[in-house]
Short mmCIF file of all heavy atoms in Angstrom, two decimals:
data_model
loop_
_atom_site.label_atom_id
_atom_site.label_comp_id
_atom_site.label_asym_id
_atom_site.label_seq_id
_atom_site.Cartn_x
_atom_site.Cartn_y
_atom_site.Cartn_z
N LEU B 191 -26.21 -6.41 -18.42
CA LEU B 191 -26.16 -7.53 -19.33
C LEU B 191 -27.46 -7.87 -19.95
O LEU B 191 -27.56 -8.08 -21.15
CB LEU B 191 -25.60 -8.77 -18.56
CG LEU B 191 -24.17 -8.67 -17.99
CD1 LEU B 191 -23.91 -9.92 -17.21
CD2 LEU B 191 -23.13 -8.46 -19.10
N ALA B 192 -28.52 -7.73 -19.13
CA ALA B 192 -29.81 -8.01 -19.65
C ALA B 192 -30.27 -7.07 -20.70
O ALA B 192 -31.10 -7.37 -21.63
CB ALA B 192 -30.84 -8.07 -18.53
N ARG B 193 -29.78 -5.79 -20.68
CA ARG B 193 -30.16 -4.78 -21.56
C ARG B 193 -29.25 -4.71 -22.81
O ARG B 193 -29.42 -3.81 -23.63
CB ARG B 193 -30.25 -3.46 -20.84
CG ARG B 193 -31.30 -3.37 -19.85
CD ARG B 193 -31.41 -2.03 -19.10
NE ARG B 193 -32.60 -1.98 -18.18
CZ ARG B 193 -32.53 -1.80 -16.87
NH1 ARG B 193 -31.35 -1.64 -16.24
NH2 ARG B 193 -33.67 -1.82 -16.18
N ASN B 194 -28.26 -5.58 -22.90
CA ASN B 194 -27.27 -5.51 -23.90
C ASN B 194 -26.97 -6.84 -24.50
O ASN B 194 -25.87 -7.42 -24.40
CB ASN B 194 -25.96 -4.89 -23.43
CG ASN B 194 -26.13 -3.37 -23.04
OD1 ASN B 194 -25.89 -2.50 -23.93
ND2 ASN B 194 -26.47 -3.13 -21.84
N PRO B 195 -27.98 -7.57 -25.16
CA PRO B 195 -27.79 -8.91 -25.63
C PRO B 195 -26.64 -9.11 -26.70
O PRO B 195 -26.04 -10.14 -26.73
CB PRO B 195 -29.12 -9.28 -26.17
CG PRO B 195 -29.83 -8.00 -26.40
CD PRO B 195 -29.32 -7.04 -25.40
N GLU B 196 -26.52 -8.15 -27.58
CA GLU B 196 -25.48 -8.28 -28.62
C GLU B 196 -24.09 -8.32 -28.01
O GLU B 196 -23.26 -9.12 -28.38
CB GLU B 196 -25.56 -7.18 -29.66
CG GLU B 196 -26.59 -7.40 -30.71
CD GLU B 196 -26.49 -6.38 -31.80
OE1 GLU B 196 -26.62 -5.19 -31.60
OE2 GLU B 196 -26.25 -6.78 -33.04
N GLN B 197 -23.89 -7.48 -27.08
CA GLN B 197 -22.51 -7.43 -26.42
C GLN B 197 -22.32 -8.73 -25.62
O GLN B 197 -21.19 -9.22 -25.63
CB GLN B 197 -22.43 -6.16 -25.49
CG GLN B 197 -22.42 -4.86 -26.19
CD GLN B 197 -23.78 -4.34 -26.52
OE1 GLN B 197 -24.81 -5.05 -26.55
NE2 GLN B 197 -23.84 -2.92 -26.69
N VAL B 198 -23.32 -9.19 -24.93
CA VAL B 198 -23.13 -10.49 -24.19
C VAL B 198 -22.85 -11.60 -25.18
O VAL B 198 -21.96 -12.43 -24.90
CB VAL B 198 -24.47 -10.80 -23.41
CG1 VAL B 198 -24.37 -12.20 -22.87
CG2 VAL B 198 -24.64 -9.76 -22.29
N ALA B 199 -23.50 -11.66 -26.28
CA ALA B 199 -23.26 -12.68 -27.32
C ALA B 199 -21.80 -12.60 -27.72
O ALA B 199 -21.07 -13.60 -28.00
CB ALA B 199 -24.15 -12.54 -28.52
N ALA B 200 -21.27 -11.34 -27.92
CA ALA B 200 -19.88 -11.14 -28.37
C ALA B 200 -18.94 -11.64 -27.25
O ALA B 200 -17.83 -12.19 -27.57
CB ALA B 200 -19.70 -9.72 -28.77
N MET B 201 -19.26 -11.31 -26.05
CA MET B 201 -18.42 -11.72 -24.92
C MET B 201 -18.24 -13.24 -24.93
O MET B 201 -17.19 -13.81 -24.81
CB MET B 201 -19.03 -11.28 -23.60
CG MET B 201 -19.04 -9.76 -23.38
SD MET B 201 -20.03 -9.38 -21.83
CE MET B 201 -20.35 -7.67 -22.03
N LYS B 202 -19.44 -13.91 -25.09
CA LYS B 202 -19.41 -15.43 -25.05
C LYS B 202 -18.69 -16.01 -26.27
O LYS B 202 -17.90 -16.98 -26.05
CB LYS B 202 -20.87 -15.91 -24.98
CG LYS B 202 -21.53 -15.51 -23.72
CD LYS B 202 -23.02 -15.92 -23.71
CE LYS B 202 -23.21 -17.42 -23.73
NZ LYS B 202 -24.66 -17.82 -23.63
N ALA B 203 -18.89 -15.35 -27.36
CA ALA B 203 -18.21 -15.89 -28.63
C ALA B 203 -16.65 -15.75 -28.47
O ALA B 203 -15.91 -16.59 -29.01
CB ALA B 203 -18.70 -15.16 -29.81
N ALA B 204 -16.20 -14.71 -27.78
CA ALA B 204 -14.78 -14.51 -27.53
C ALA B 204 -14.22 -15.42 -26.43
O ALA B 204 -13.04 -15.38 -26.14
CB ALA B 204 -14.51 -13.00 -27.29
#
Side-chain angles (χ1 to χ4, degrees):
L191 297 176
R193 292 179 174 122
N194 291 270
E196 278 191 300
Q197 290 88 337
V198 170
M201 296 170 194
K202 294 174 67 176

